[in-house]
Amino acid sequence: MHKRHVFGDMSLEIYNSDGELVKNLSPGKNKGINRVEWIVRKKPPKVKASSPLLAFRTAFGPTFPPGDFKILIKKGANTYESTITLEVDPETGHSKEDIDLQFATLNKAYNLLEDISFTDKQVTYLKEKLDKAMLQMNDSDLKQNFTTLSEKLETMHKELVATSPHRLSGERRLAEKIGDIYAGIINYSGKPTDSQIERLNLLEGIFLQYRTQVDLILSDELQKMNSEMKKLGLQEIIVITREEYDAS
């Protein structure tokens, strides 16, 4: 810059080829050349914080893919645009096909981990609300229906994620199994093994069964229970949405 930026906001935004904002950085405001460091990784996947093994396995996010990224520098009322290109290190010794497969498989595991975390959040949130609602009920039949669903959700929770707070417990549930695959792939820039890909596809199928169960509970059982609660003058249960979860 010809002179130091003093007044007004200043930001540096990076967008991928789809126009999605992937990073917002704070540029230097001093006169002359300012260097801005961009760590070319996504945030680590959002996973259950109480699972230390899973947190350890997912400490880093995937790198952004090779390609062009648009840079927007907003300086007061002015906007300056440029482009930066990410390239694969030619010293890796891996083919483009292998690197593309590594990227796709790693991001599939990444998305699955976040989907499981969100699903578990809905499960535990709903269970907590059901348990609180039962304290205000006198109808034994209705309370039994709530108890049955609460127990079902507790079982689902313990199958989705490890519940022990101890890293050395050895407890591995669906999220931890996918976390193991994620950690194995992210630590090697070449082609994932056939067993990693097959195992991930299998675990994805298992997760989708859980997701289907949760969607059915929310669209059917919860609606019926909310109707009963409304008759009793109790507050209806509204479960956290994906948008609310991602923003939290």
Side-chain angles (χ1 to χ4, degrees):
M1 292 191 294
H2 295 297
K3 60 181 181 179
R4 176 179 173 80
H5 177 72
V6 179
F7 300 105
D9 294 330
M10 185 172 177
S11 64
L12 190 157
E13 299 172 350
I14 303 175
Y15 295 82
N16 62 18
S17 58
D18 295 324
E20 176 189 6
L21 177 65
V22 298
K23 198 69 177 180
N24 198 326
L25 300 172
S26 298
K29 298 181 179 180
N30 295 324
K31 180 180 178 181
I33 296 175
N34 290 268
R35 297 183 183 276
V36 180
E37 182 180 13
W38 176 28
I39 299 175
V40 291
R41 286 186 180 275
K42 294 181 181 181
K43 293 180 180 179
K46 193 172 183 178
V47 297
K48 188 171 177 62
S50 61
S51 176
L53 178 63
L54 185 57
F56 177 75
R57 290 278 191 269
T58 60
F60 298 98
T63 57
F64 291 107
D68 293 335
F69 290 78
K70 183 171 71 174
I71 308 296
L72 287 184
I73 297 178
K74 297 180 179 180
K75 181 175 178 287
N78 300 317
T79 299
Y80 306 91
E81 181 176 332
S82 185
T83 302
I84 188 172
T85 300
L86 294 185
E87 298 181 348
V88 175
D89 183 353
E91 300 298 323
T92 61
H94 303 297
S95 69
K96 181 181 183 304
E97 291 74 18
D98 288 352
I99 292 173
D100 288 347
L101 182 59
Q102 190 266 1
F103 176 80
T105 309
L106 180 61
N107 278 272
K108 180 176 182 176
Y110 179 98
N111 292 332
L112 271 174
L113 286 166
E114 293 212 323
D115 289 346
I116 290 173
S117 182
F118 165 63
T119 300
D120 183 64
K121 181 66 175 179
Q122 284 192 315
V123 166
T124 54
Y125 185 93
L126 178 55
K127 182 187 183 309
E128 177 185 341
K129 295 295 183 181
L130 290 173
D131 292 345
K132 287 183 178 179
M134 282 190 284
L135 298 176
Q136 305 175 63
M137 293 179 185
N138 295 318
D139 188 311
S140 58
D141 291 336
L142 182 58
K143 185 177 289 188
Q144 181 57 50
N145 291 338
F146 274 57
T147 300
T148 300
L149 180 55
S150 176
E151 291 173 349
K152 180 179 179 179
L153 293 170
E154 177 66 12
T155 298
M156 195 178 297
H157 165 57
K158 290 181 177 179
E159 292 173 350
L160 285 170
V161 297
T163 54
S164 172
H166 305 294
R167 181 179 296 179
L168 300 179
S169 68
E171 185 181 9
R172 276 178 169 78
R173 297 295 181 253
L174 184 59
E176 284 71 31
K177 292 173 183 177
I178 294 176
D180 287 344
I181 297 174
Y182 178 87
I185 296 174
I186 201 172
N187 287 319
Y188 180 64
S189 59
K191 178 182 178 181
T193 65
D194 290 342
S195 62
Q196 286 174 326
I197 295 172
E198 292 169 3
R199 179 70 169 159
L200 187 60
N201 288 336
L202 174 64
L203 295 174
E204 179 187 32
I206 294 172
F207 164 69
L208 290 176
Q209 293 176 16
Y210 282 108
R211 187 64 251 180
T212 298
Q213 290 182 57
V214 173
D215 288 339
L216 185 59
I217 289 170
L218 297 180
S219 64
D220 184 30
E221 293 185 63
L222 179 58
Q223 298 304 314
K224 294 176 182 177
M225 290 180 171
N226 273 336
S227 295
E228 295 297 329
M229 292 175 66
K230 191 174 182 179
K231 293 177 184 177
L232 296 173
L234 300 177
Q235 186 175 0
E236 297 180 45
I237 297 174
I238 300 175
V239 178
I240 186 171
T241 65
R242 184 61 186 256
E243 290 74 20
E244 292 168 337
Y245 175 76
D246 288 340
S248 64

